[in-house]
Amino acid sequence: MNYTVRNSRPSDNGQLGDIYLNERRQTFTWVDPGKFSHEDFLAHSQGEIVWVAEAPDGEIAGFMTLWAADDFIHMLYIRKEWQGRGVGTALLKALPEWPRRTYRLKCLINNRNAKTFYAGRGFVVTGSGTSAEGDYEELSFIPG
């Protein structure tokens, strides 16, 4: 399926907040859902580049944020009904110089679907740590 990937607009913030809240509550089942709020998206994406993937009907299927100074992919969230349909890959292709540039991210160890997704796109484990949501692995995409 073809997606339109574009920079987000202020008018997208409500939908992006919905996606961020809903997907974290559905995915991070080991975290108290009350710890997540709709306002988290704007707070957590401050200073980041935000891309959205629109489905052919104009629905926002998912989004990705990048902390450009460190080539750090901070967030990549796809609506449940759009997962497994190429949205995440389309968003990664929007990254500057993808796939000829190194990018990093953190992925919670309990988030098996995300780990499988990133491994399938060439990301490898380069570190580990602990966050408020649990243990994570640092993953890096290193061009071959």
Side-chain angles (χ1 to χ4, degrees), residues 36-48:
F36 304 129
S37 74
H38 194 269
E39 294 74 29
D40 289 345
F41 172 75
L42 285 178
H44 295 172
S45 63
Q46 286 290 317
E48 298 182 351

Side-chain angles (χ1 to χ4, degrees), residues 11 21 36-37 39 41-42 51 58 71 74 76 78 80 82 91 93 99 106-107 109-111 134-135:
S11 59
L21 176 63
F36 304 129
S37 74
E39 294 74 29
F41 172 75
L42 285 178
W51 290 275
D71 289 333
H74 182 214
L76 196 158
I78 310 300
K80 185 102 175 142
W82 289 101
L91 286 163
K93 288 179 179 179
K106 293 178 183 175
C107 186
I109 290 172
N110 286 338
N111 192 351
D135 294 338

Side-chain angles (χ1 to χ4, degrees), residues 73 76 88-89 92 98 103-109 111-126 137-142:
I73 302 166
L76 196 158
T89 300
L92 288 175
W98 177 267
Y103 285 96
R104 300 178 310 110
L105 58 88
K106 293 178 183 175
C107 186
L108 294 171
I109 290 172
N111 192 351
R112 290 181 178 84
N113 289 340
K115 286 180 56 171
T116 299
F117 168 79
Y118 291 120
R121 274 115 199 115
F123 285 81
V124 295
V125 176
T126 53
E137 292 177 331
E138 182 176 302
L139 303 177
S140 296
F141 177 84
I142 302 167

